[in-house]
Amino acid sequence: MTSPAGPPPTGGGDGERRRLKLLAVTACPTGIAHTYMAAEKLAQAAESRGIEMKVETQGSIGAENVLTDNDVNTADGVIVAADKDVDLSRFAGKRVLTVGVAEGIRHPERLIERVRSAPVHREGEAPAPGAADAGKERSVGYKALMNGVSYMIPFVVVGGLLIAISLSLGGHTDPSGGLVIPEDSFWMDVNNIGVIGFTLMVPILSGYIAYAIGDRPALVPGMVGGWIANTGSLYDSKAGAGFIGAIVTGFLAGYLVLWIKKVRVPKFVQPIMPIIVIPIVATTSLGLFFVYVIGKPISWVFEHLTDWLSGMTGTSAILLGAILGLMIAFDMGGPVNKTAFLFGTGLIATGNQTVMGMCAAAIPVMPLGQGLATLIRKRLYTEQERETGLAALFMGCFGISEGAIPFAAARPAQVIPANMLGGAVAGAIAGVAGVEDAVPHGGPIVAVLGAVSGVPMFFVAVVIGTVVTGLTTVSLVDVSERRRKGASVGGGGAAGPEPALIGAGAGVPDADTAVSRQAVAESRAVAASAGTGSDAAEDEVLSGHLTERTVKVRLDAREKEAAIRELADLLARSGKVADVDELVRTALRREEQGTTGLGEEIAIPHAKTDAVTAPVVGFARSVEGVEWGSMDGTKARLVFMIAVPEAAAGDEHLRILALLSRKLMDAGFRERLSTAPDERAVLGVLGEIR
């Protein structure tokens, strides 16, 4: 096949007629079903047109079928169907079309036609969207922010936990120095390692926000800018700008690099632009801008807040406690937080320990509240966020407020107000109760080590503040998610009617049906010959996770929730389900995060829970179809349910999902599955999955 008129193809070749070669990358941030469905659809569309295509999948189990340098060198174009960031630097000089993963499933033929005239990707360029309707992708800003947060989380967790452990096992109270660890002790070394992790987390956040926007040239200015933002001494401030300053520098660095890339330079300079010129210019410009322009207002805010608080020492304890709690909770290490903390610390030396008591009660509320929120409403959080929530609970007990930063950075509009409300409540209760703290530190640990007077009311303040923060957070996040889902559903109809799909329930001519039934019979014969009994045939289906007992040829339920309940009861026949109700609840929580209706009249609800004792898979068919919120608007007629244990699951459910997703894109397979007359025949068809 020859290249279309216009710019020449970007692959290798001598201009002779040759077979067109395309590459693709598919990726989905919440699972792998869509990743593999898009890959299979693109491969099928290319094969039907006589086009050679290799597809790399970036699913939750890692990258598979990875594109090599030789693949890229000889390719004529690249389709990136993804809802998360994909590194495009390896495709420099190639035609690249970027769309949402849904487009790879719904319009693979259209993408193959469009990529042949797509713009050539240049080194360091940001990807251009494929079309206005190319899937419901998050904004560039949101994806950049989440990229920074995801890289920051390990530094927060490692640094915070090491500091907490060193304080709990090696620290003691000292009126002149707070919680003190002996300088020459083993635990001081552990503490220092933790401090390094905490020191790096802010530059990492800034650097990877910048990287997501401006690619590799933006990484250095982003990290250096984040370090400057967090080091107040560079701009005459007693406190750095913290994670809020890092977010600012990350976006500034990313967009500054994008702007510099647009500047035309001589050809001899172009090779060194991304590795020398851009990083140096962007880093220097951003650093000086922060020190001389942004840093001055931060220093001014710090000084005037301190003066303002100094004038409030005679006011109502409730009001002062609420204000200090608000400030402590606002930026968790930034200038506002440090102003309140240093104000309380300075008054300890004068004999006034009540102000520090207010601060000490507010300090742990943010991490404890955010950790509590992940336990109250697990469905609102990803697995990584829930794990971070557990670490935040631990850090909160040791007065490490930075444990809440990942949540505040990811959802500032919801988390920061909730933190401030809980902090204000805790500070006010401590103020009215006259709680005192003799050391410049906070959290339950100072009470356990004997530095707090009025311990019962101190814990009352912490507990109430934590509950307020947790409940407020889940309420605000829930409202935000509902609005986002509502907007997504509202925008979904704009794409127009979809082409007719071939799948279960579609009309099939009698001759085709006869052929299909013959194929089923042959499959049954093969399955029967594989062993002497039914168990031998069953063991061939998805590694034995799906058996005749977990197959139902007619699903009675007409609604999604009832269907999931019916499928859970079906799985219970295997003897591997310890708690059917919990299995149903877990599966429904997964649906709230995003529908498992995959289109093509297919749904694959799944749950990772200790309600099951071993991996188990069920299958049922619905004649009328169940409304599942699928992206193509079709009702689910072929429904699989996968359940695996929480602790010992590994990647088993992901492997099963990948196998199913690939095979279910075969229209012939779906047809045979939909016309199989009984459970044994269904097993015979499913035995084709390898």
Side-chain angles (χ1 to χ4, degrees):
M1 182 176 293
T2 57
S3 300
T10 55
D14 55 6
E16 297 179 359
R17 292 175 62 87
R18 62 181 180 83
R19 192 181 184 191
L20 192 69
K21 180 177 180 180
L22 298 178
L23 304 178
V25 179
T26 61
C28 175
T30 58
I32 66 169
H34 292 160
T35 298
Y36 283 92
M37 289 180 69
E40 201 69 17
K41 280 290 190 179
L42 286 166
Q44 290 175 2
E47 184 178 3
S48 68
R49 284 160 173 71
I51 297 173
E52 182 182 352
M53 174 177 279
K54 180 177 179 180
V55 186
E56 174 181 306
T57 53
Q58 295 186 5
S60 298
I61 55 178
E64 297 178 281
N65 203 30
V66 176
L67 305 178
T68 65
D69 290 341
N70 185 60
D71 292 328
V72 176
N73 290 336
T74 59
D76 296 297
V78 184
I79 299 171
V80 178
D83 286 339
K84 67 176 186 179
D85 287 322
V86 173
D87 183 7
L88 302 182
S89 60
R90 54 182 166 160
F91 304 134
K94 298 294 174 182
R95 299 187 184 280
V96 177
L97 177 67
T98 58
V99 297
V101 70
E103 285 294 285
I105 300 172
R106 297 166 66 177
H107 305 300
E109 300 88 355
R110 186 186 303 175
L111 299 183
I112 288 173
E113 292 301 320
R114 287 170 52 198
V115 72
R116 297 162 67 183
S117 58
V120 175
H121 179 67
R122 303 299 180 189
E123 179 68 34
E125 277 186 346
D133 64 345
K136 299 176 180 65
E137 291 187 276
R138 294 278 199 168
S139 67
V140 172
Y142 176 84
K143 291 167 72 174
L145 181 61
M146 293 308 298
N147 191 61
V149 171
S150 66
Y151 280 100
M152 175 186 68
I153 285 175
F155 290 86
V156 177
V157 173
V158 171
L161 293 184
L162 288 179
I163 291 173
I165 291 170
S166 63
L167 285 173
S168 61
L169 299 180
H172 63 271
T173 57
D174 186 331
S176 63
L179 292 173
V180 176
I181 303 173
E183 288 290 337
D184 56 350
S185 71
F186 166 79
W187 294 113
M188 176 55 75
D189 294 331
V190 175
N191 183 270
N192 290 337
I193 295 172
V195 170
I196 291 172
F198 251 22
T199 304
L200 288 173
M201 73 173 179
V202 173
I204 289 293
L205 171 64
S206 178
Y208 280 96
I209 289 174
Y211 176 80
I213 297 171
D215 212 342
R216 294 180 185 178
L219 189 59
V220 171
M223 286 193 175
V224 173
W227 188 283
I228 293 172
N230 202 40
T231 310
S233 59
L234 295 174
Y235 43 92
D236 300 326
S237 174
K238 293 182 180 180
F243 82 96
I244 294 179
I247 292 174
V248 172
T249 56
F251 280 103
L252 285 176
Y255 285 108
L256 177 60
V257 167
L258 285 183
W259 178 79
I260 296 174
K261 288 178 181 178
K262 295 179 181 179
V263 178
R264 293 188 177 184
V265 296
K267 286 187 177 181
F268 72 89
V269 179
Q270 290 178 1
I272 64 171
M273 285 291 290
I275 59 174
I276 298 178
V277 177
I278 294 177
I280 290 177
V281 172
T283 302
T284 305
S285 301
L286 179 62
L288 293 175
F289 178 74
F290 202 96
V291 169
Y292 290 106
V293 179
I294 299 179
K296 296 299 181 182
I298 292 175
S299 179
W300 181 89
V301 167
F302 185 93
E303 293 173 0
H304 283 75
L305 279 176
T306 303
D307 293 340
W308 177 61
L309 286 174
S310 298
M312 293 188 62
T313 52
T315 60
S316 166
I318 297 178
L319 177 60
L320 181 59
I323 292 173
L324 288 172
L326 286 170
M327 294 174 65
I328 288 287
F330 174 66
D331 53 2
M332 291 160 284
V336 177
N337 170 283
K338 281 294 190 293
T339 297
F341 180 79
L342 294 178
F343 178 66
T345 300
L347 290 178
I348 292 177
T350 68
N352 183 349
Q353 299 178 356
T354 57
V355 173
M356 193 62 221
M358 303 172 193
C359 296
I363 284 171
V365 163
M366 297 82 76
L368 291 176
Q370 295 308 317
L372 178 64
T374 64
L375 298 177
I376 296 174
R377 298 290 290 278
K378 292 183 179 180
R379 68 172 182 81
L380 295 175
Y381 298 91
T382 65
E383 187 173 345
Q384 183 186 40
E385 287 175 325
R386 292 196 294 271
E387 292 172 355
T388 305
L390 294 176
L393 287 170
F394 189 75
M395 283 186 264
C397 292
F398 293 88
I400 302 173
S401 61
E402 287 86 348
I405 285 180
F407 300 97
R411 297 183 176 99
Q414 292 79 38
V415 172
I416 292 178
N419 284 347
M420 293 175 68
L421 181 59
V425 169
I429 293 174
V432 74
V435 172
E436 296 184 351
D437 181 12
V439 299
H441 200 83
I445 188 174
V446 294
V448 172
L449 294 178
V452 170
S453 64
V455 172
M457 286 308 298
F458 173 79
F459 278 105
V460 167
V462 171
V463 169
I464 293 178
T466 297
V467 171
V468 168
T469 290
L471 293 178
T472 304
T473 298
V474 296
S475 298
L476 293 177
V477 172
D478 193 31
V479 169
S480 174
E481 289 297 308
R482 290 178 186 275
R483 287 178 179 174
R484 184 179 67 82
K485 289 179 181 178
S488 176
V489 171
E498 293 298 314
L501 298 174
I502 301 174
V508 181
D510 291 344
D512 291 342
T513 302
V515 172
S516 177
R517 290 188 183 277
Q518 181 180 355
V520 171
E522 291 172 355
S523 296
R524 291 176 62 185
V526 170
S529 66
T532 58
S534 61
D535 289 342
E538 291 173 1
D539 288 344
E540 295 298 316
V541 180
L542 294 175
S543 302
H545 300 319
L546 189 148
T547 68
E548 188 172 338
R549 281 174 290 181
T550 57
V551 173
K552 193 171 186 180
V553 293
R554 184 180 179 89
L555 188 67
D556 297 323
R558 302 290 183 88
E559 297 180 351
K560 182 196 290 191
E561 184 171 345
I564 288 176
R565 166 68 66 175
E566 189 173 341
L567 283 160
D569 291 335
L570 183 65
L571 295 186
R573 295 181 187 176
S574 67
K576 300 176 182 178
V577 179
D579 188 339
V580 173
D581 291 335
E582 179 57 27
L583 173 58
V584 172
R585 285 192 292 268
T586 304
L588 291 175
R589 285 197 295 268
R590 172 60 187 85
E591 293 295 328
E592 290 175 347
Q593 293 177 6
T595 181
T596 56
L598 306 181
E600 304 281 24
E601 301 182 327
I602 302 163
I604 311 181
H606 45 277
K608 189 177 182 183
T609 172
D610 287 332
V612 297
T613 57
V616 59
V617 183
F619 168 73
R621 292 190 315 220
S622 172
V623 176
E624 297 83 3
V626 179
E627 180 56 55
W628 219 280
S630 300
M631 65 178 67
D632 61 3
T634 59
K635 291 185 177 181
R637 299 179 189 272
L638 303 177
V639 185
F640 291 84
M641 186 169 185
I642 303 170
V644 293
E646 179 77 41
D651 289 334
E652 184 65 10
H653 68 303
L654 302 177
R655 188 186 67 83
I656 296 170
L657 269 171
L659 288 171
L660 282 175
S661 301
R662 285 188 180 278
K663 193 63 178 176
L664 287 168
M665 290 301 96
D666 182 345
F669 176 79
R670 296 197 305 271
E671 181 184 333
R672 294 192 296 277
L673 193 57
S674 65
T675 56
D678 54 34
E679 284 81 0
R680 286 294 305 278
V682 167
L683 282 179
V685 178
L686 292 175
E688 299 175 22
I689 299 176
R690 293 288 186 271

